[in-house]
Amino acid sequence: MAKKNKARVPDDEQQIDSEPNSNHQTLYEVLGVERTASQQEIKKAYYKLALRLHPDKNPGDEEAKEKFQQLQTVISILGDEEKRAVYDQTGCVDDADLSGDAVQNLSEFFRTMYKQVTEADIEEFEANYRGSESEKNDLIDLYKKCKGNMDRLFCSMLCSDPKFDSHRFKDILDEAIAAGELKETKAYEKWAKKVSEIKPPTSPLKRRAESSSNKPETDLYAMIAQRQNQRKDRFDSMFSSLASKYGGGDMPEPTEEEFEAAQRKLDSGRSSKKAKQSKRK
């Protein structure tokens, strides 16, 4: 009886064991990728192995078939961000362990570890960060990455505002350029010249104005209510005008088109009146 030839499995597939977690081999090691690999890198490694281990390419090879099935388990976990997160924390490879209560418990675990960030937390961080050595280092790093393009820099710089921080950042960068830490670029030179022509703020580190940072929410509600009342008064005035024009309560209620036409007429009248007053002045 002729001996059945067994298809050879390539060397880089020999790393796949019969069980994903056997011999303490991680799923990342099975695919040959780093633990920090992106989804694109994971899928690329999977496709490469899947093509070589596919049963159609290895007819009659039970070992290749088993490893191909094993590969499906690996990608079902690492290819799913939620299951991957649970696996990274627990090492579980069973689908039952990677869903339901395990995910819920993990979510609760993260909630207890990382408290909810409030506006007060953000303001505290901003107060500690602005003017710190960390801010200075970040500024210099971003200057290098943006090649002195300050518009791009402000888009990436934490807790920054061109209106309040331009002069302050210019002083820091000028000092670094003078010390030889940075090279002055044409983009920065142009920006610095423009900033020099603007009057600097009196308290650059106090970016949040008191009028906007500590206003109670009731002020907002009061403003909304006031505007609603103003709109109501305008509508009441318009209805009175319509009632007078069309004969009061004896006439049917105006249609929506008539209502909008009257509104436009009133607005047009007000605009014309304002325009005439402006010309007289």
Side-chain angles (χ1 to χ4, degrees), residues 62 69 79 127 236 247 267:
E62 291 300 323
Q69 293 173 345
D236 289 344
D267 292 339

Side-chain angles (χ1 to χ4, degrees), residues 89-226:
Q89 289 293 323
T90 64
C92 294
V93 295
D94 188 345
D95 280 346
D97 293 332
L98 293 169
S99 58
D101 292 340
V103 174
Q104 180 63 29
N105 292 338
L106 190 63
S107 299
E108 292 175 359
F109 168 73
F110 280 122
R111 278 199 295 269
T112 58
M113 281 191 65
Y114 306 104
K115 68 171 186 175
Q116 182 178 2
V117 178
T118 64
E119 186 176 350
D121 294 328
I122 296 172
E123 290 178 357
E124 182 181 358
F125 170 81
E126 182 176 342
N128 293 329
Y129 178 76
R130 290 168 60 76
S132 68
E133 194 66 24
S134 293
E135 183 195 46
K136 179 181 177 180
N137 294 335
D138 291 344
L139 176 63
I140 291 175
D141 288 342
L142 281 173
Y143 177 91
K144 294 175 181 177
K145 291 178 182 177
C146 298
K147 298 179 180 178
N149 186 323
M150 297 304 290
D151 291 332
R152 285 178 54 198
L153 184 147
F154 272 108
C155 290
S156 303
M157 187 69 187
L158 282 174
C159 308
S160 67
D161 187 327
K163 181 179 177 182
F164 293 95
D165 300 318
S166 290
H167 290 83
R168 193 166 62 85
F169 285 179
K170 178 180 176 298
D171 292 341
I172 296 172
L173 294 172
D174 284 348
E175 183 180 341
I177 290 171
E181 297 178 40
L182 296 175
K183 182 179 178 180
E184 186 177 36
T185 65
K186 290 184 179 180
Y188 175 75
E189 186 180 358
K190 184 178 179 181
W191 174 84
K193 183 179 179 181
K194 190 182 298 183
V195 171
S196 299
E197 297 170 354
I198 304 172
K199 184 180 178 181
T202 53
S203 302
L205 289 177
K206 294 183 179 179
R207 185 162 73 91
R208 292 179 182 268
E210 293 180 4
S211 59
S212 62
S213 62
N214 296 319
K215 269 195 173 183
E217 293 183 3
T218 52
D219 288 355
L220 178 60
Y221 296 142
M223 186 183 299
I224 294 173
Q226 182 182 11

Side-chain angles (χ1 to χ4, degrees), residues 68-108:
F68 180 78
Q69 293 173 345
Q70 167 65 35
L71 195 59
Q72 307 316 303
T73 302
V74 173
I75 194 61
S76 71
I77 295 171
L78 297 187
D80 184 299
E81 291 290 1
E82 190 176 80
K83 291 182 179 180
R84 181 182 178 183
V86 177
Y87 169 75
D88 287 345
Q89 289 293 323
T90 64
C92 294
V93 295
D94 188 345
D95 280 346
D97 293 332
L98 293 169
S99 58
D101 292 340
V103 174
Q104 180 63 29
N105 292 338
L106 190 63
S107 299
E108 292 175 359

